[in-house]
Amino acid sequence: MLLGSTGTPKCEECGEWLTGRQTRFCSNTCKMRAHRRDKSSRAAEKTCRLCGAIFRPLRGKQSYCDFQNDASETCAQMQNDMAKRRLDAQDDREDRTCEHCGEWAGDEGGRGRPRRFCSSRCKTAHYRAEKSQNGA
């Protein structure tokens, strides 16, 4: 809080005299201007989760170097490898076959663990066959 020559407080943003119940800012405009300035200075730089380099994010939740502008060759290669693993996992999910009959097991939208069986009938048959082999 800034104090004037008479001991009364001044606005932290514009330096106007404060009146009444005002404690730090003279208006909502000054309050928001200070908030935006502080927010932009806090998010100015981040550390890349892959290579550890410091970069300026283009988006709020960006956690890796910008692939086209800031990324070094090693970071760009790591990002390519990560994208390839993600695509391979998606392909594996789509090409999944039933462990009992060998038919296509289906795809449930890409969330969670991939299906092992095409139907509950195959699932039951597989577990009963497995149990009879181990138990008998």
Side-chain angles (χ1 to χ4, degrees), residues 17-32:
W17 297 102
L18 300 181
T19 59
R21 298 175 70 182
Q22 299 168 339
T23 56
R24 293 180 62 192
F25 303 105
C26 64
S27 64
N28 281 339
T29 304
C30 285
K31 181 179 177 181
M32 290 308 296

Side-chain angles (χ1 to χ4, degrees), residues 54-114:
I54 295 174
F55 70 98
R56 290 189 178 271
L58 300 175
R59 298 168 304 284
K61 293 184 179 183
Q62 183 178 352
S63 55
Y64 307 116
C65 298
D66 183 34
F67 184 78
Q68 295 173 348
N69 298 330
D70 296 333
S72 63
E73 287 184 32
T74 55
C75 189
Q77 184 61 41
M78 286 190 272
Q79 289 181 39
N80 282 336
D81 294 343
M82 209 167 60
K84 186 177 182 326
R85 282 193 303 271
R86 198 170 29 244
L87 286 173
D88 289 345
Q90 183 64 31
D91 289 344
D92 289 345
R93 173 179 294 285
E94 293 170 358
D95 297 338
R96 197 69 176 195
T97 58
C98 178
E99 290 185 17
H100 181 68
C101 67
E103 294 291 321
W104 182 62
D107 187 22
E108 292 189 7
R111 292 194 162 232
R113 193 179 331 173

Side-chain angles (χ1 to χ4, degrees), residues 32-52:
M32 290 308 296
R33 190 179 305 141
H35 172 71
R36 288 185 187 112
R37 186 187 65 241
D38 292 344
K39 184 179 172 184
S40 67
S41 66
R42 279 194 309 262
E45 293 180 340
K46 283 187 175 182
T47 304
C48 178
R49 290 174 46 191
L50 289 177
C51 67

